[in-house]
């Protein structure tokens, strides 16, 4: 039996992740769990709380946005990455992305405020 026969009605040819960042967020959660930062039950509770937030899309297209929000909250709760640090780093990456010439790899060093 192949995957198509085992999962009728499910498109097995569709990509699992719509965007690369979704795969990266997924991998971060798995890696942090494997390192013992949190249990699967802690993760499930955090993700469930995010998915149940008012305004969540009924079709689930925002699932990985909730995944990322749950990860950020867990990291803050564990004292690993306070929200202020996450926000500052995200802003630095955005500045670096805007300052990087097209076709070149984005590097945090490209942030105009890096080291300043």
């Amino acid at each position: 039996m192949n995957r198509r026969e085992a999962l009728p009605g499910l498109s097995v040819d569709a990509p699992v992740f719509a965007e690369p960042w979704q795969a990266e967020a997924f991998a971060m959660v798995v890696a942090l769990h494997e390192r013992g930062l949190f249990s699967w039950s802690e993760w499930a509770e955090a993700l469930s709380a995010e998915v149940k937030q008012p305004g969540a899309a009924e079709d689930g297209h925002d699932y990985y946005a909730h995944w990322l929000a749950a990860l950020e909250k867990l990291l803050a709760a564990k004292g690993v990455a306070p929200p202020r640090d996450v926000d500052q780093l995200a802003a630095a990456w955005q500045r670096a992305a805007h300052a990087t010439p097209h076709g070149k790899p984005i590097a945090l060093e490209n942030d105009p405020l890096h080291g300043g």
Side-chain angles (χ1 to χ4, degrees):
M1 176 180 292
N2 66 32
R3 292 188 317 172
R4 287 186 203 285
E5 295 168 340
L7 303 168
L10 182 64
S11 174
V12 293
D13 293 328
V16 175
F17 303 103
E19 302 283 338
W21 70 266
Q22 296 171 348
E24 292 167 0
F26 182 90
M28 281 190 284
V29 168
V30 171
L32 292 170
H33 164 73
E34 288 175 349
R35 290 187 178 145
L37 186 63
F38 48 78
S39 68
W40 281 132
S41 58
E42 285 178 293
W43 170 249
E45 185 178 318
L47 180 57
S48 178
E50 289 301 317
V51 172
K52 292 178 183 175
Q53 291 287 326
E58 289 187 24
D59 67 358
H61 75 268
D62 57 354
Y63 179 73
Y64 280 101
H66 296 296
W67 185 281
L68 189 57
L71 176 58
E72 289 177 359
K73 287 181 181 173
L74 260 179
L75 292 175
K78 299 285 184 175
V80 174
R84 180 173 175 240
D85 292 353
V86 172
D87 292 343
Q88 288 176 345
L89 189 56
W93 277 108
Q94 284 295 321
R95 289 189 303 269
H98 288 291
T100 301
H102 180 73
K104 299 291 181 183
I106 298 170
L108 199 51
E109 292 77 23
N110 295 345
D111 174 6
L113 302 182
H114 179 75

